[in-house]
Amino acid sequence: MLRYAVRRLLFAIPTLLVISFIIFALLDLAPSDPTAQLPLTIPEEVREMIKKSLGLGQPFHIRYLKWLEQFMVNEPLNLIEQYWNIQIGDSESRLRVRSWSTRAPVVDLIADRLPQTLSVVGISYIVAILIAVPIGVVSAYKQYSIFDQLGTFISMVGFSVPTFFTGTVLIVIFSVMLGWLPSIYDTTLEVTDVDSFIAQFKQMIMPVMVLGLFNAAQLSRFMRSSMLDNLNQEYVRTARSKGLSEPVVILVHVLRNSMIPVVTVIALGLPSTFAGAIITEQIFRINGVGQLLIGAIEGADIPTVQTVTFIFAILIVLFNLVADLLYGILDPRIRYD
Amino acid sequence: MLKTRTLILATAAVAMFASAAHAARGTDGQLKILYWQAPSILNPFLSGGTKDIHASSLIIEPLAHYDSDGNMVPALAVEIPTVANGGVTKDLKSITWKLKKGVLWSDGSAFTAKDVEFTAAYCLHPEGGCNAAERFQDVTSVEAIDDHTVKISFKVPKPFPYGPFVGSEAPIIQKAQFENCMGAKAPSCTEQNFGTIGTGPFTVAEFKPNDVVLYKMNENYRDPAKPAFDSVLLKGGGDAVSAARAVLETGEFDYAWNLQVEPEILSTMAKAGKGEVLSSFGTSVERLMVQLTNPDPALGDKRATYQGGKNPHPFMSDKAVRRALSMAIDRAILVDAGYGPAGRVTCNVLPAPAIYASTANDWCKTQDIAGANKLLDDAGWKRGSDGVREKGGVQLSLLFQTSTNSVRQGTQALIKQMWAEIGVETELKNISASVFFGGDQSSPDTFQKNFADIEMYTNNFNGTDPENYMLRWTCDKMPSLETQWIGQNMPRYCDPEYDKLAAYLAETASIEERAIIAKKMNDMLIEYGAIIPLIHRGGVAARANSLGGGAYPNVWDATPWNIQNWHRTK
Amino acid sequence: MTESVQSQTLPIEPETAVEFKHRSPWLDVWHQFRSHKGAMAGVSVFTLIVLAVLLGPYIHDIDPQYLDYKSKNQGMSAVHPMGTDNLGRDMFAQVLAGGRTSLAVGVTAMALSLTLGTLVGVMAGFFTRLDGVLMRLTDLFLALPILPLLLVIIMLFRDALRSVFGPEIGIFMLIVFVIGITSWMQTARIVRGEVLALKERELVLAARSIGTRPHRLIFRHIFPNVLSPIMVSATLGVAAAIITESALSFLGLGFPSDFPTWGRLLFDGVPFLNINPARVIWPGLAISLTVLSVNYIGDGLRDAMDPRIRGR
């Protein structure tokens, strides 16, 4: 297992390099333009100058290698400097990856937004797991019971209704009609006392629920079907015939063996916690990483899109490795060698 | 003739300061403004869009602003220089601004003419990528005569010398702050670009790029009674509908900017009684740009290019077709469906200011299906069995493109149906705005390439002088492969007569004569049918009932240009 | 370890039992499927929806694109059973027309993504040598930013497809392709995970030990046992494809604006929530009903094909 993990980690480096190159090429090919949002009254000659000042005049491979150096060497060095408060070499003239629209270092922008994304999207994921796993287990155990039918119905409706719709409906009900919750997320709010905590809690309810229910719908389907598969396995009968109590059979043996597809879904979902939930963040105006990404894509802010997507890629590779290792723990018979 | 010309433009130097006897500085709490596009930088010279210019207009000021009617109002200047008051020389080659005395930057240092001089140098630096560079066109020098006098000299006579430092797109930045941020270093000055020091009523307290700006009042602001609010929260992001909702229905915000959504949505929300919908009109015209050259992909590099007039469009080159297309459109319905109070029917590509607005084309204001049908019949376009007209094997079947936006798609659908009534078949296409308005040369979908038969978008001009705007449709402004698709002459209109008028306009100084020439140019374009104007568009905004002091959409300048006067009404 | 107890006794038993009782396993699946009430309800609703969108336009023959501007924003009436939108288009006709596109996109895109996902997943799980390469490919596709990808694909292929197949079919193919190619990864990873576990189960080990060829092993033993997560992916896939299509339309990358789909009708209706709730209720209901019925059909199929349940 350890050898496998190390081998995979080593293999991840060339993989990520290839991914970074493909993303960069893709963004370079894409026809959107960083000057598209400027007022049309600004003439094209000025636009060309702006593009040159962004470094767009240089050939493709130079720009890629520059980005690679800035991201792989300069940014880590900078992080180390900040963390231990030391200076390595000539840190003043070291170029950082800068966003075209804000002209600020992209890594700082991400760091600025990570707390919101982690709290809102992260909590919504926890909520989703907390809702989905029990529903999945119970509906499988009592297949075709009323609970199962209702659970199936609600989760399928939940999945088939997009977040742009649920979000707006919730806003119309709870903000416009009832006036209980704010429709716009106040990102300048700092939690210092009970009142600000309540305010923070109130503004998080709607986005967390919208996302949580959407994810729970999907997770609970996989949980239920996987439980059903395992409930009919021979080992369950064996375990029961050995006289193990029902809760032990279900919660220890069946649940554990049913987790493989669910672990996959969660492992694929966790990196997207980082990338945020684009539509939900947009609707409630949460300044998360998702909003940063969509804004950067719309504004053709290539350094930002490239960096955010690449960090996303790193997380995907890592979490998929974790999922593979978890498979081995959940089912010791799985071997990779 | 030299005396009268700039006078009209510079009349309203007074006004506007009549409002508040009621409040002292900073007594009205927090003002909350909502923009559905979020500000990403607070240095307007490096900005990526209108939102950044507006967000920085609370902090830094130009020498003069435009008010919401398009009149110039002094800001950091004592008065608007004109030939009459001696501020503009008779040869129109230089303008001298007198600056207000005793103005302080928010860090407490004195504002002087050196700062103005520096701002010009900053923006004119070739490596800086300053987006206000056009404002400094033909400027040969900007020099500080003394601490409170600045002289700007031009290469050529400028009948309208108010490009530099007028309006929020070209404000004054502090020399001390930006001295080390010139040229290539400009983008790396994050601290300066995010924490701009200014002379305006507010300063930055907290800035989260692409999200929110929190301003606090500027203790050093020159009017001790202003601003009325002690802080301003400018939140960005989301979409226009929910922005309107937050002001009109939930009352969470005081002002929401640029709400281009279907009018019934706004009017329904306004019924909640928490705020009102406002609109004001500038020079924006939603127009159809006809493609006069052949956009057939089979032509390769010659696709949609002029080729000395040897590449005409198979049917758009017929004037009767262009005229019929315009006659068949019921513009009043387009306004009603997509714009409401934010739109007016127009038949001109140059709709404002009033002295420039022609009335020669008013035939287009009423739909005339019968007339359009007759025109096409007479021109030999016969209806085929499928109802689509044809002549010599060419069908009147056209591709109509625009950018993605629900109002534009609604307009497209309405026009398609109107054209169906005169036997013209339409295929609709919409393109993401970041591609359509971007100049990416590898993309076939940009508005410059106009690889369609007709395309729709809005354009306007800055300030009140239309010269640069009308110059867009001369022969040499046609986009083509040779010009890297640069140029705004999307229809590929080329008429030597028009070019002559354009040259004549550039050397005429009298405002009345300029108006006559510009109107004539406008009429030529419309009469020929190269451009089919649809709607004179205004800016729309929502304002809470409790907000007073002149908060109003300003299409000539940034909306917060007079934010020092905004206050709570009781 | 409870698992080790049954290792000698049970490996081949359920399979052989089935082979003995029935000559035609597919007929057997059909019998089992028919006894599943939810599945039968799902089939009837789904058939009804398909019939409605196919035949409906012949009965309710208002042109979905006709703008009757004077009667805009109307509620339900005899002439307009689902009301009209803000330009006076008949909503019922639009929902019917939109259903054709949405169903076609949903089912085709799902089929494409499922085929790709299952293929990659089974290959990666079964053949250890392919695992590394295929899973890294999956990582790559997961990391690709979808919007720029779409912009590039559309820029490169839209005109070519438009000239060959016409604007509508051309865009249809493009959208199905894009949705399919960007949504197979989850299925692939799930299937692979299951195959990895299955590979070490007794029935597979036993089959392998008697020299069963890999392709036969995959079709006989692996594939039927990973059907259940595939079915879940399929049912979720239809919904996801319909919704993704609406997001694409919203971004200007989808069908032309005079080409309604359920997702777009819903999206366009949301701002009009207060004025005319019918504009979101009907398309929303159509999507939900479709997704629900597909889900129940999937449940029924899964149960019917599961050799262990079928035996009982």
Side-chain angles (χ1 to χ4, degrees):
Chain A
M1 190 76 93
L2 187 70
R3 239 185 72 207
Y4 174 74
V6 171
R7 213 180 63 211
R8 276 282 296 273
L9 276 176
L10 285 179
F11 197 61
I13 295 169
T15 312
L16 284 171
L17 277 178
V18 171
I19 292 182
S20 80
F21 180 79
I22 291 180
I23 298 176
F24 201 90
L26 184 74
L27 293 177
D28 189 65
L29 259 178
S32 35
D33 189 296
T35 60
Q37 281 185 358
L38 286 173
L40 281 184
T41 47
I42 292 177
E44 275 104 335
E45 298 76 33
V46 176
R47 285 167 199 265
E48 286 306 309
M49 270 179 52
I50 294 174
K51 282 188 219 168
K52 281 223 176 69
S53 79
L54 295 172
L56 266 171
Q58 291 165 326
F60 172 75
H61 60 277
I62 303 270
R63 280 182 285 133
Y64 174 65
L65 290 176
K66 266 193 176 168
W67 175 83
L68 209 59
E69 189 211 345
Q70 288 167 3
F71 185 81
M72 299 288 188
V73 182
N74 297 358
E75 289 295 347
L77 280 177
N78 195 56
L79 274 184
I80 293 170
E81 281 186 1
Q82 276 183 357
Y83 192 78
W84 280 287
N85 215 359
I86 49 169
Q87 190 168 355
I88 311 167
D90 182 12
S91 54
E92 279 294 305
S93 63
R94 201 156 50 218
L95 288 174
R96 302 185 62 187
V97 187
R98 274 178 194 277
S99 138
W100 285 347
S101 71
T102 69
R103 317 286 176 125
V106 178
V107 174
D108 294 357
L109 292 178
I110 297 174
D112 209 27
R113 281 152 180 274
L114 213 49
Q116 281 77 248
T117 292
L118 286 184
S119 59
V120 173
V121 189
I123 291 178
S124 79
Y125 229 87
I126 295 171
V127 168
I129 295 173
L130 288 180
I131 297 177
V133 172
I135 287 189
V137 171
V138 176
S139 6
Y141 188 62
K142 306 229 170 199
Q143 200 189 2
Y144 303 132
S145 67
I146 292 184
F147 184 90
D148 177 28
Q149 302 286 11
L150 210 68
T152 303
F153 186 79
I154 292 174
S155 56
M156 287 319 287
V157 171
F159 191 74
S160 64
V161 182
T163 45
F164 67 74
F165 179 63
T166 30
T168 313
V169 170
L170 286 187
I171 287 180
V172 167
I173 296 176
F174 291 103
S175 304
V176 178
M177 293 181 183
L178 299 173
W180 291 351
L181 301 171
S183 73
I184 289 169
Y185 193 95
D186 180 5
T187 44
T188 56
L189 183 74
E190 278 169 30
V191 178
T192 47
D193 52 16
V194 180
D195 281 349
S196 58
F197 177 78
I198 292 174
Q200 176 68 18
F201 183 75
K202 273 169 111 175
Q203 69 178 359
M204 278 177 70
I205 294 178
M206 286 200 288
V208 165
M209 288 322 279
V210 164
L211 268 182
L213 291 177
F214 187 75
N215 287 329
Q218 189 190 17
L219 267 181
S220 70
R221 296 311 296 159
F222 279 108
M223 189 73 236
R224 174 181 177 273
S225 94
S226 182
M227 283 289 290
L228 278 178
D229 278 357
N230 277 282
L231 278 171
N232 294 313
Q233 296 280 359
E234 301 75 20
Y235 74 84
V236 180
R237 276 179 247 163
T238 318
R240 281 184 184 139
S241 65
K242 282 198 338 190
L244 293 177
S245 74
E246 199 62 15
V248 173
V249 173
I250 301 299
L251 294 180
V252 177
H253 297 285
V254 181
L255 186 61
R256 177 174 161 178
N257 281 294
S258 312
M259 286 305 275
I260 284 184
V262 180
V263 161
T264 311
V265 176
I266 296 178
L268 292 187
L270 283 180
S272 62
T273 311
F274 162 78
I278 291 174
I279 294 180
T280 313
E281 288 186 352
Q282 189 88 331
I283 288 178
F284 294 99
R285 294 179 165 80
I286 302 165
N287 65 334
V289 181
Q291 205 195 36
L292 178 71
L293 182 63
I294 189 74
I297 288 175
E298 278 170 359
D301 185 353
I302 293 181
T304 309
V305 183
Q306 169 79 16
T307 308
V308 174
T309 345
F310 187 64
I311 296 179
F312 186 46
I314 297 177
L315 290 177
I316 287 173
V317 170
L318 278 184
F319 275 94
N320 281 344
L321 173 60
V322 170
D324 279 341
L325 297 181
L326 272 179
Y327 292 168
I329 294 168
L330 289 169
D331 189 342
R333 286 175 304 184
I334 291 181
R335 291 192 312 262
Y336 292 106
D337 298 308
Chain B
M1 81 178 186
L2 295 178
K3 286 175 189 166
T4 38
R5 81 201 128 175
T6 42
L7 259 178
I8 298 177
L9 300 163
T11 35
V14 229
M16 280 302 136
F17 295 93
S19 67
H22 95 281
R25 172 182 281 187
T27 50
D28 279 356
Q30 192 176 58
L31 170 69
K32 291 172 120 182
I33 306 176
L34 195 52
Y35 272 51
W36 55 267
Q37 283 186 321
S40 37
I41 193 166
L42 295 176
N43 177 350
F45 296 123
L46 299 179
S47 89
T50 314
K51 68 228 164 59
D52 306 325
I53 294 166
H54 285 213
S56 50
S57 73
L58 282 78
I59 310 164
I60 41 180
E61 297 173 287
L63 295 179
H65 275 299
Y66 289 102
D67 69 12
S68 45
D69 297 321
N71 305 307
M72 275 186 270
V73 180
L76 288 171
V78 177
E79 58 175 1
I80 307 292
T82 59
V83 177
N85 64 21
V88 179
T89 52
K90 294 225 159 130
D91 63 356
L92 301 177
K93 285 176 117 172
S94 81
I95 179 170
T96 307
W97 292 86
K98 292 258 174 236
L99 310 182
K100 280 187 181 139
K101 292 188 175 147
V103 175
L104 297 180
W105 292 99
S106 58
D107 64 358
S109 61
F111 161 75
T112 70
K114 287 281 177 204
D115 294 307
V116 183
E117 194 185 270
F118 169 79
T119 304
Y122 177 88
C123 191
L124 285 170
H125 196 290
E127 285 166 43
C130 167
N131 63 23
E134 194 207 12
R135 296 305 195 95
F136 294 90
Q137 206 179 8
D138 300 325
V139 168
T140 50
S141 76
V142 176
E143 50 183 321
I145 306 285
D146 58 47
D147 269 1
H148 299 99
T149 316
V150 179
K151 183 178 168 209
I152 304 168
S153 311
F154 300 98
K155 207 161 36 185
V156 292
K158 281 271 167 184
F160 187 82
Y162 306 110
F165 312 120
V166 180
S168 299
E169 281 175 40
I172 320 284
I173 52 176
Q174 191 193 29
K175 183 179 182 189
Q177 190 183 21
F178 282 93
E179 220 161 6
N180 296 320
C181 299
M182 299 275 280
K185 274 194 260 166
S188 56
C189 288
T190 310
E191 204 182 305
Q192 286 85 347
N193 293 334
F194 281 9
T196 321
I197 292 173
T199 53
F202 292 95
T203 62
V204 195
E206 189 183 356
F207 177 42
K208 291 178 190 280
N210 293 337
D211 175 36
V212 69
V213 197
L214 185 63
Y215 306 86
K216 60 178 191 299
M217 67 179 173
N218 175 5
E219 300 288 348
N220 292 314
Y221 187 60
R222 57 184 176 274
D223 185 337
K226 290 170 180 175
F229 293 99
D230 69 354
S231 66
V232 177
L233 182 81
L234 193 152
K235 173 86 178 170
D239 59 296
V241 176
S242 60
R245 181 175 292 129
V247 173
L248 298 173
E249 287 196 318
T250 67
E252 288 166 88
F253 277 76
D254 297 308
Y255 190 92
W257 162 84
N258 193 9
L259 307 173
Q260 206 207 342
V261 292
E262 283 80 357
E264 58 262 52
I265 298 179
L266 291 181
S267 58
T268 312
M269 286 180 179
K271 279 184 200 141
K274 293 213 160 100
E276 59 183 320
V277 179
L278 314 166
S279 56
S280 90
F281 289 84
T283 58
S284 294
V285 173
E286 184 87 14
R287 80 282 299 276
L288 299 175
M289 289 291 197
V290 170
Q291 175 57 275
L292 293 166
T293 62
N294 194 348
D296 184 354
L299 291 171
D301 285 350
K302 289 183 180 162
R303 183 179 190 188
T305 55
Y306 188 62
Q307 305 296 330
K310 293 193 192 70
N311 189 25
H313 193 283
F315 55 84
M316 281 300 191
S317 47
D318 184 344
K319 192 178 166 191
V321 173
R322 301 192 298 265
R323 173 60 71 101
L325 290 177
S326 181
M327 286 162 78
I329 297 172
D330 188 342
R331 291 169 173 78
I333 284 195
L334 301 186
V335 169
D336 188 55
Y339 299 87
R344 294 174 188 152
V345 169
T346 187
C347 296
N348 296 313
V349 72
L350 175 59
I355 51 161
Y356 293 107
S358 167
T359 50
N361 313 300
D362 284 357
W363 51 267
C364 96
K365 285 191 173 168
T366 42
Q367 187 188 30
D368 184 3
I369 296 279
N373 269 321
K374 183 167 182 308
L375 199 61
L376 290 173
D377 285 337
D378 293 349
W381 295 94
K382 300 274 172 267
R383 279 184 195 261
S385 55
D386 52 354
V388 181
R389 287 177 189 271
E390 60 164 353
K391 181 163 102 175
V394 179
Q395 271 207 321
L396 284 188
S397 170
L398 54 84
L399 177 64
F400 177 14
Q401 69 180 18
T402 187
S403 72
T404 305
N405 163 322
S406 76
V407 171
R408 287 216 166 102
Q409 266 73 77
T411 307
Q412 270 189 316
L414 287 163
I415 291 179
K416 177 181 176 173
Q417 180 157 324
M418 293 163 188
W419 284 346
E421 288 183 49
I422 58 166
V424 174
E425 182 185 57
T426 313
E427 181 194 324
L428 304 183
K429 177 174 170 186
N430 57 321
I431 300 156
S432 167
S434 69
V435 177
F436 190 63
F437 294 118
D440 193 287
Q441 291 181 30
S442 59
S443 166
D445 290 332
T446 63
F447 73 142
Q448 286 103 337
K449 284 195 177 164
N450 194 358
F451 285 174
D453 303 307
I454 206 157
E455 67 180 356
M456 175 169 74
Y457 62 91
T458 286
N459 206 342
N460 68 321
F461 57 94
N462 279 324
T464 48
D465 180 64
E467 181 181 323
N468 279 341
Y469 181 68
M470 295 313 284
L471 253 48
R472 286 174 186 173
W473 296 290
T474 54
C475 298
D476 58 334
K477 296 282 167 57
M478 284 190 285
S480 69
L481 196 63
E482 292 78 48
T483 66
Q484 273 100 45
W485 300 101
I486 284 178
Q488 295 263 320
N489 188 350
M490 310 311 177
R492 282 69 159 150
Y493 172 77
C494 186
D495 185 341
E497 200 59 32
Y498 188 90
D499 286 16
K500 256 187 238 158
L501 280 177
Y504 186 39
L505 179 66
E507 51 197 46
T508 306
S510 144
I511 195 128
E512 287 80 11
E513 265 184 69
R514 287 174 72 82
I516 292 168
I517 301 167
K519 271 200 238 185
K520 197 163 171 203
M521 292 168 86
N522 170 72
D523 295 347
M524 282 180 78
L525 290 168
I526 309 305
E527 183 59 32
Y528 187 78
I531 298 175
I532 302 177
L534 298 174
I535 294 148
H536 182 193
R537 280 180 52 184
V540 209
R543 180 183 68 194
N545 291 334
S546 64
L547 182 61
Y552 207 81
N554 185 343
V555 289
W556 309 95
D557 204 323
T559 297
W561 71 282
N562 59 348
I563 197 160
Q564 69 275 11
N565 299 333
W566 297 13
H567 59 84
R568 285 257 173 261
T569 52
K570 291 296 169 289
Chain C
M1 280 279 103
T2 48
E3 289 89 342
S4 58
V5 179
Q6 11 97 350
S7 57
Q8 285 86 30
T9 48
L10 287 166
I12 339 174
E13 183 258 312
E15 291 292 315
T16 42
V18 171
E19 301 272 319
F20 266 94
K21 272 187 208 156
H22 303 285
R23 280 289 144 81
S24 161
W26 290 112
L27 197 70
D28 191 52
V29 167
W30 171 238
H31 279 295
Q32 185 69 30
F33 184 75
R34 277 190 48 187
S35 66
H36 191 292
K37 274 186 217 145
M40 289 318 284
V43 168
S44 4
V45 172
F46 192 69
T47 319
L48 207 70
I49 294 175
V50 171
L51 284 179
V53 300
L54 288 182
L55 304 177
Y58 295 101
I59 300 158
H60 182 79
D61 58 356
I62 296 182
D63 177 0
Q65 287 313 313
Y66 181 73
L67 308 169
D68 182 4
Y69 191 69
K70 288 194 189 69
S71 51
K72 62 171 182 168
N73 289 327
Q74 281 189 352
M76 289 179 266
S77 67
V79 191
H80 304 294
M82 293 184 184
T84 56
D85 73 3
N86 62 313
L87 296 177
R89 282 176 287 219
D90 179 69
M91 279 305 289
F92 187 41
Q94 289 217 73
V95 168
L96 292 177
R100 289 186 176 189
T101 323
S102 283
L103 284 179
V105 169
V107 173
T108 342
M110 176 272 287
L112 180 64
S113 105
L114 215 61
T115 317
L116 267 176
T118 312
L119 192 73
V120 172
V122 171
M123 289 304 203
F126 195 78
F127 301 105
T128 318
R129 250 178 307 155
L130 291 177
D131 189 29
V133 179
L134 287 176
M135 282 303 107
R136 297 303 76 76
L137 188 74
T138 315
D139 288 346
L140 168 64
F141 270 88
L142 279 169
L144 280 186
I146 293 182
L147 290 182
L149 177 72
L150 270 168
L151 286 173
V152 171
I153 291 184
I154 284 177
M155 177 182 84
L156 295 178
F157 302 111
R158 173 153 78 183
D159 279 358
L161 285 172
R162 179 174 171 265
S163 55
V164 180
F165 298 100
E168 278 137 30
I169 308 272
I171 288 278
F172 178 82
M173 288 170 60
L174 213 60
I175 286 179
V176 165
F177 175 75
V178 165
I179 296 179
I181 202 146
T182 51
S183 61
W184 55 270
M185 294 81 74
Q186 192 179 8
T187 317
R189 287 222 47 119
I190 292 170
V191 170
R192 168 179 169 271
E194 291 272 290
V195 173
L196 281 178
L198 263 176
K199 213 165 55 165
E200 309 302 332
R201 288 252 179 94
E202 299 74 18
L203 76 146
V204 177
L205 291 176
R208 203 178 244 176
S209 68
I210 58 169
T212 315
R213 290 185 167 274
H215 68 92
R216 197 175 152 75
L217 201 63
I218 289 175
F219 280 106
R220 274 316 272 241
H221 301 289
I222 303 276
F223 193 64
N225 282 294
V226 292
L227 257 185
S228 111
I230 293 178
M231 281 298 161
V232 177
S233 296
T235 52
L236 296 177
V238 174
I242 291 177
I243 290 164
T244 311
E245 187 280 317
S246 74
L248 296 189
S249 300
F250 159 59
L251 294 163
L253 305 171
F255 287 97
S257 58
D258 49 349
F259 210 71
T261 65
W262 283 344
R264 247 244 330 283
L265 290 176
L266 183 62
F267 188 85
D268 289 347
V270 167
F272 292 87
L273 201 63
N274 298 356
I275 302 172
N276 193 356
R279 278 193 70 177
V280 291
I281 292 173
W282 295 112
L285 201 65
I287 297 178
S288 293
L289 273 180
T290 310
V291 171
L292 270 175
S293 59
V294 170
N295 175 62
Y296 279 112
I297 297 172
D299 270 4
L301 277 180
R302 194 197 70 91
D303 287 358
M305 286 189 206
D306 189 328
R308 287 173 299 264
I309 300 181
R310 191 167 14 121
R312 285 186 305 198

